[in-house]
Amino acid sequence: MASDKASSRISGYYKKTVEERVSIAAEMADLTSDEVELLRSGGGLGLEAADRMIENVVGTIEYPLGVAVNFRINGRDRLVPMAIEEPSVVAAASNMARLMREGDGIKASCTDPVMIGQIQVLDVPDMDGAKKALKEAKESLLDLANQQDPVLVRFGGGARDLQIRVIETEAGEMLVLHLLVDCRDAMGANAVNTMCEVLAPSVEKITGGRVLLRIISNLADHRLARAEAVVKKDDIGGEKIVDDIVAAWAFADADPYRAATHNKGIMNGVIAVALATAQDHRALESGAHAYAARSGHYRSLSRWSKNEDGDLVGVLEMPMAVGIVGGATRTHPVARLALKIMGASKAIDLAGVMAAVGLAQNLGALRALVQEGIQHGHMRLHARNLVVMAGADGNLIDRAVEALVESGEIRFDKAQEIVRRLKG
Ligand code: NAD
């Protein structure tokens, strides 16, 4: 577990060698020699574990695992592991986290980890009667649900409530029963689906209808994570930049075409941490975008404003259905290690860190967009990808990158020309 006292403010982490970065992370997170070896080996999962995880396995695919530095969340410094193939994301998160460190840094909070299971009931003969009967049967239905998962109940979770909805659809009116389940440290899809399936026969008897679907909803709007930070105007480049960032945010909040890319930037951070910790990232994506559209209009997941001192205030609130038990979180050795590096011992810790990274990432993109534009920071890494695509390897890569950047034309045809010339 990462030491509570160690500072995550590490200047020049990006300039160190992989070996040095591993050593720093190992010291901060008290990693064992086996864990250090796992990082150094660059592998992790292994075919045997992969073969137990999904069907028809023929191999594994690796992603780079980076560590974002400088994060201070609720007064505690954390290193944040991120797995992602896109350049600039880890750098932007670290840079913005540095600007957000003042005081307690980023404030993160979470609701109780409550997920929704949906039971779809068709052909209900008397809707009012069915609703009344379901309300009367609530306690016995919750008891029946909880009998399915004594472990979850022992950890303080379990079925908490029922909500009854009637919706109009193209296939007619239907009753939809929501089962609210506190999943504690699990993401909870298996737990909730099992409960919904077990309740179905009772729900049919009570309502006189026919149950069709019994499945979790990924619009986890009872399981929200929130991150909030203030960035001093002088640290971000002055009051004009603050105003421009607020105007850029307002554009995203008003326009779905812009919001889709604005929220994608937030998800760059959220999903990179999700991948590093083996979360169900499809669930997170669908939950985030459905939540962004909850008003009937697809909007920004974040909100940026200027406070009375002229400083920039950012808030991100979004569903965060993450677990540290269940799924692949415990079976993937690198995911376990990532949680240890981050020092997350509860699912709500992880959810708060992910919201904080999403907020920092969002600021990184907004700041770049209102200033030099997004391509500037990407250029060097983009040049590296281009020269590799053009056939550069070994020592030639750095020389070709230099030449390509110097040419000022970061394009594939130019990369090919340079690589051809250097190969001579
Ligand atoms: P799981 O069933 O593997 O583990 C959860 C169980 O762990 C709990 O039900 C509980 O019995 C036990 N547990 C032990 N300690 C606990 C603690 N401290 N807190 C809570 N529970 C504890 O996994 P899950 O989280 O129920 O389901 C996640 C999996 O379901 C993921 O692999 C996901 O991809 C998959 N899934 C997702 C969807 C979806 O729509 N998102 C649908 C189906 C399946």
Side-chain angles (χ1 to χ4, degrees):
M1 157 97 62
S3 151
D4 277 10
K5 289 175 213 90
S7 172
S8 66
R9 174 77 192 97
I10 306 174
S11 149
Y13 194 63
Y14 68 100
K15 289 191 202 141
K16 301 194 185 298
T17 63
V18 173
E19 198 60 28
E20 288 168 336
R21 288 188 212 118
V22 170
S23 298
I24 293 171
E27 201 182 315
M28 273 191 72
D30 278 338
L31 301 188
T32 65
S33 52
D34 284 352
E35 288 166 338
V36 169
E37 202 35 55
L38 185 61
L39 285 178
R40 283 200 181 124
S41 69
L45 182 57
L47 272 181
E48 222 174 278
D51 197 31
R52 282 194 300 269
M53 223 173 249
I54 64 160
E55 311 74 35
N56 300 0
V57 166
V58 295
T60 59
I61 177 167
E62 288 154 18
Y63 276 78
L65 178 72
V67 164
V69 293
N70 303 334
F71 275 90
R72 175 176 288 160
I73 304 168
N74 296 336
R76 177 169 169 192
D77 276 41
R78 298 197 190 243
L79 294 181
V80 183
M82 300 175 79
I84 189 159
E85 86 299 343
E86 187 175 338
S88 303
V89 171
V90 179
S94 303
N95 282 337
M96 295 305 112
R98 182 170 46 80
L99 304 187
M100 293 171 160
R101 281 178 67 78
E102 286 263 314
D104 274 356
I106 303 172
K107 284 188 213 135
S109 58
C110 298
T111 61
D112 279 341
V114 173
M115 296 299 287
I116 301 167
Q118 296 194 292
I119 302 175
Q120 176 196 22
V121 196
L122 305 175
D123 310 328
V124 176
D126 166 12
M127 206 51 99
D128 287 338
K131 281 159 61 176
K132 187 161 173 283
L134 279 171
K135 277 183 200 149
E136 282 164 8
K138 177 171 140 179
E139 289 311 321
S140 66
L141 288 170
L142 293 180
D143 279 350
L144 181 58
N146 281 330
Q147 282 164 29
Q148 310 315 310
D149 204 335
V151 177
L152 180 59
V153 172
R154 202 167 61 237
F155 279 100
R160 290 276 182 269
D161 203 359
L162 292 180
Q163 290 175 342
I164 304 161
R165 301 167 60 216
V166 177
I167 60 169
E168 292 299 333
T169 77
E170 292 211 2
E173 190 182 61
M174 43 189 87
L175 187 149
V176 180
L177 184 64
H178 279 191
L179 175 68
L180 270 50
V181 183
D182 184 325
C183 297
R184 292 288 98 194
D185 289 323
M187 181 268 169
N190 284 325
V192 171
N193 292 343
T194 305
M195 289 181 180
C196 289
E197 289 188 6
V198 162
L199 292 194
S202 307
V203 170
E204 288 190 331
K205 221 178 279 166
I206 293 165
T207 59
R210 179 170 70 90
V211 167
L212 194 56
L213 304 193
R214 300 138 294 164
I215 180 79
I216 196 158
S217 168
N218 287 299
L219 174 47
D221 60 0
H222 290 272
R223 190 176 197 174
L224 299 174
R226 185 183 158 91
E228 193 175 340
V230 178
V231 179
K232 294 256 179 271
K233 58 177 182 288
D234 293 336
D235 291 342
I236 194 87
E239 198 147 354
K240 173 160 184 308
I241 303 281
V242 172
D243 290 337
D244 285 353
I245 287 174
V246 173
W249 161 79
F251 175 19
D253 203 45
D255 176 32
Y257 289 94
R258 173 63 206 133
T261 313
H262 175 95
N263 289 340
K264 188 271 183 185
I266 292 171
M267 299 311 277
N268 274 345
V270 171
I271 297 298
V273 183
L275 278 173
T277 56
Q279 302 301 316
D280 181 342
H281 48 94
R282 290 82 55 206
L284 289 163
E285 286 281 5
S286 63
H289 298 297
Y291 191 69
R294 67 194 182 284
S295 64
H297 181 82
Y298 183 83
R299 299 175 62 176
S300 164
L301 285 165
S302 63
R303 164 169 286 275
W304 292 92
S305 58
K306 184 164 79 167
N307 69 13
E308 58 279 8
D309 299 324
D311 296 331
L312 183 65
V313 182
V315 181
L316 170 66
E317 182 190 84
M318 58 180 286
M320 206 65 89
V322 293
I324 59 163
V325 298
T329 56
R330 286 273 165 96
T331 50
H332 198 306
V334 180
R336 280 202 312 268
L337 187 47
L339 285 172
K340 184 169 174 183
I341 291 173
M342 185 190 299
S345 54
K346 300 219 152 300
I348 53 169
D349 270 357
L350 172 61
V353 169
M354 286 169 70
V357 177
L359 184 68
Q361 210 73 57
N362 188 210
L363 180 60
L366 289 171
R367 195 203 55 81
L369 282 167
V370 302
Q371 291 188 295
E372 68 274 8
I374 209 85
Q375 283 310 94
H376 183 78
H378 277 259
M379 227 140 65
R380 210 174 172 81
L381 286 157
H382 183 50
R384 178 165 288 270
N385 286 340
L386 288 180
V387 301
V388 171
M389 263 164 62
D393 53 12
N395 291 338
L396 201 78
I397 296 178
D398 284 341
R399 284 163 56 210
V401 168
E402 275 318 315
L404 188 57
V405 170
E406 246 170 56
S407 78
E409 295 175 281
I410 318 270
R411 296 195 317 260
F412 186 53
D413 57 326
K414 193 75 189 170
Q416 281 178 310
E417 185 192 310
I418 289 170
V419 171
R420 227 177 297 132
R421 178 162 46 80
L422 289 177
K423 277 187 169 172

